[in-house]
Amino acid sequence: MGMAAECPPDCYAPVMRPMNPLTDIVLIASATAVACALPGVFLVLRRVAMISDAITHTVLLGIVLAFFVVQDIRSPILAVAAAGTGVATVALIELLHRTGRIREDAAIGLVFPFLFSIAVMLIAQYAGNVHLDVDAVLLGELAFAPLDRYTLGNIDLGPRALWLMGGILGVSLLLLIMFYKELKLATFDAALAATLGFMPTALHYGLMSVVSLTAVGAFNAVGSVLVVALMVAPPAAAYLLTDRLSRMLALSAAFGMLAAILGCAAAFVLDTSIAGAMAVVTGLIFGMAWIFAPERGLVAQALRHARQRQEFAQAMLLVHVLHHERTPQGAVECDAAHLNEHLCWDASFTAHILRRAEQQGLLQRQNSEITLTESGRRLAEQTLRGER
Amino acid sequence: MFDDLFTDYTLRTVVLGSTLLGIVSGMVGAFAVLRRQSLLGDAMSHAALPGIVLAFIVTGSREPLALMIGAALACWIGALLVMSIVRTTRLKSDSALGLILATFFGAGLVLLTWVQQWPTAAQAGLDRYLFGQTATLLERDVIAMAIIGLPTLLILALFWKECAILAFDPDFASTIGLPVRLLDVLLTSLLVVAIIIGLQTVGVVLMSAMLVAPAAAARQWTDRLGVMVALSGLFGASAGVVGTLLSGAVARLPTGPMIVVCISVLAFASLLLAPRRGLVWAWLRNARPIVMHR
């Protein structure tokens, strides 16, 4: 593709063969996904995930305005201006919020549709001479990204988008390593961070700059709304799986990359939007984590509730027997057949709890009369003393 | 331009449609903003996209009522998922909203791109639901909007007292025995209705502004709920009409963004200039030199 295809055969020798465009697309998608997932972790933890929605929309205005000035869609000034718009959006939202006239969520909902609308109208007005159209804004143009390549003489250096996203990923990795401790503290205990002189506000705006820059880079590849999917869904899934920041970062990056690979594969097979497919896969990954996460997943929660219910019932049973054994009514009260009535349980539940307690060696059954074992009595007494 | 309003049939239809949208979204949005659910509307309107395309795939036609039902179902599922993510995980509502917004919208784009490759022509124009295109609004669309929109206002009037208590003090509402969950469902359903009315006019991407901006503007002018809701509906309707007329007057100006710019300007102006709460008055008060009396 690109350069190499137009070369006469004799100039092929020094040319590195360009890779398959499919490989290029997957590589660009993966770099984009990982670059989005890393700052996304801090957005999710700091509870400002919807700020990413605002930023990804308003960077478009920066791109359009800068384009009118420099008239070159490939100019790096565009990216800088766009990232600046992203940070300005955050500042504007905060300014509105701080006046006390509207709440933060309303401020977000007021600012970004306004700036985005202006951008869309400008694009629509000047659609003829701008290489930006409204579909590309929402969909991205990942499928065409491998066609736009850097070349040095005859040497194909690979797609521009890969260099761009790789560069952004490199910068945010570097910043992450440099400010890891500060970010961690400011995220989990902003007050302590401020006391120790770590300047949480500066860190916040630094993070927002990285988010804006990433949004600008990813914008070309996946479009505005789907950047939000890549920034929020992988960290949200990782958050359900671990309690350590370092692991959450690694897991988010891995989920992002998985979504990129699976999303590209699905889009090739179904011949549909790559960015959309990636977003759907991030959603599915989150769905899996939500349902199956050990400890925090829906299944784990349901199992824990069931177990707690049984343990509580077993404790009630043991206390009941302890209370009545060796008393005149003991023969009646401790009769397995009467327990349903005394504890208001249905028969199968009673049978299940009795079997469970017997298996754990907490009680014995002789001719349907229940007696506690030594450990069962100890457990019942502990329950009564409130030690369990 | 305004003379055409009474003679031009298309223009009349279009203006009627955006007025309806402005009234319903303004009034319903006022409750969403007061209940701190400004961004729920954003997530729900994006979530409508897969519903629209699926409804088209199932019915094979662009009958507005069918697409609206599809959109409404998708909105509802999106809202339910947001609520259950917040309830069952340690994620906060911002992450849940972002997640549902982006993944549903992604699914919508996948379906839309897929449908657009069909050899038939029936699917042409489905993408106008992204940014809205009032020029294509027909009389049957406006009738469909009125059929589902006007009952909303009736319901709001019937449950006015309950909704007011829920908006300002949900704990008190449940203490005095109001069916809070049911009312929550009711208000969310009204939000769904407002969103699907706006699909053709403003589109799914910018619909949230129609819920937030009129309410934010109206809030600056009054401290009374009744006045706020009425003003919010009025602001929404006037922005809808002015935006539609402007976008009709200038070539290649998409309606949705134009309406959003109108209502946003109104909101910013209210924030700055509304009597008593306006920021300009506050700045002037602070800037006035303090005169020392001897």
Side-chain angles (χ1 to χ4, degrees), chain A residues 351-363:
Chain A
H352 177 73
I353 297 298
L354 276 173
R355 209 164 42 245
R356 193 174 185 273
E358 201 172 17
Q359 273 164 6
Q360 293 185 3
L362 299 171
L363 53 77

Side-chain angles (χ1 to χ4, degrees), chain B residues 49 52 67 125-132 199-200 203-205:
Chain B
L49 188 62
I52 296 171
L67 298 189
L126 270 186
D127 53 353
R128 76 189 152 110
Y129 287 100
L130 291 176
F131 287 112
L199 291 178
Q200 279 176 305
V204 297
V205 179

Side-chain angles (χ1 to χ4, degrees), chain A residues 49 53 101 134 239 272 301, chain B residues 42 88 90 94 110 131 251 277:
Chain A
D53 189 32
R101 300 302 193 272
V134 170
Y239 192 37
T272 182
Q301 284 179 27
Chain B
D42 192 27
T88 62
R90 55 177 176 170
D94 63 298
V110 165
F131 287 112
R277 279 174 71 100

Side-chain angles (χ1 to χ4, degrees), chain A residues 101-320:
Chain A
R101 300 302 193 272
I102 51 177
R103 295 207 186 92
E104 189 175 18
D105 59 333
I108 296 175
L110 186 60
V111 168
F112 87 81
F114 175 58
L115 299 179
F116 186 65
S117 297
I118 294 177
V120 171
M121 282 184 356
L122 287 175
I123 292 175
Q125 273 301 296
Y126 302 96
N129 35 23
V130 183
H131 283 291
L132 270 172
D133 68 89
V134 170
D135 272 358
V137 169
L138 291 170
L139 286 168
E141 286 178 325
L142 198 48
F144 303 120
L147 300 178
D148 184 6
R149 308 183 79 87
Y150 275 142
T151 48
L152 187 68
N154 281 331
I155 306 168
D156 174 36
L157 294 178
R160 205 172 72 90
L162 188 56
W163 281 98
L164 183 67
M165 281 325 295
I168 291 172
L169 177 58
V171 169
S172 62
L173 261 180
L174 193 71
L175 288 172
L176 179 64
I177 293 166
M178 279 167 62
F179 295 105
Y180 185 74
K181 185 182 62 191
E182 287 81 357
L183 269 171
K184 191 177 185 177
L185 188 61
T187 300
F188 290 106
D189 194 340
L192 181 60
T195 318
L196 296 177
F198 280 171
M199 294 197 291
T201 315
L203 274 172
H204 183 67
Y205 276 94
L207 177 65
M208 289 305 153
S209 311
V210 172
V211 170
S212 303
L213 193 66
T214 314
V216 177
F219 196 85
N220 283 322
V222 295
S224 64
V225 178
L226 305 172
V227 178
V228 178
L230 294 178
M231 282 192 177
V232 178
Y239 192 37
L240 301 182
L241 295 170
T242 177
D243 282 332
R244 296 196 68 83
L245 180 60
S246 51
R247 260 181 234 155
M248 187 174 163
L249 283 162
L251 268 178
S252 304
F255 286 155
M257 203 179 274
L258 185 68
I261 294 167
L262 292 180
C264 287
F268 294 142
V269 172
L270 301 172
D271 192 15
T272 182
S273 155
I274 299 173
M278 278 166 66
V280 173
V281 176
T282 60
L284 293 178
I285 290 173
F286 174 79
M288 297 291 281
W290 186 19
I291 296 172
F292 297 113
E295 289 183 51
R296 296 213 173 74
L298 290 177
V299 171
Q301 284 179 27
L303 288 177
R304 191 165 55 236
H305 285 162
R307 202 185 59 237
Q308 284 169 342
R309 183 163 169 251
Q310 290 184 359
E311 265 166 15
F312 179 75
Q314 178 174 289
M316 291 304 294
L317 173 70
L318 295 178
V319 169
H320 179 81

Side-chain angles (χ1 to χ4, degrees), chain B residues 19-35:
Chain B
T19 313
L20 258 174
L21 162 69
I23 294 173
V24 175
S25 67
M27 296 178 98
V28 173
F31 283 94
V33 168
L34 287 175
R35 301 177 70 218

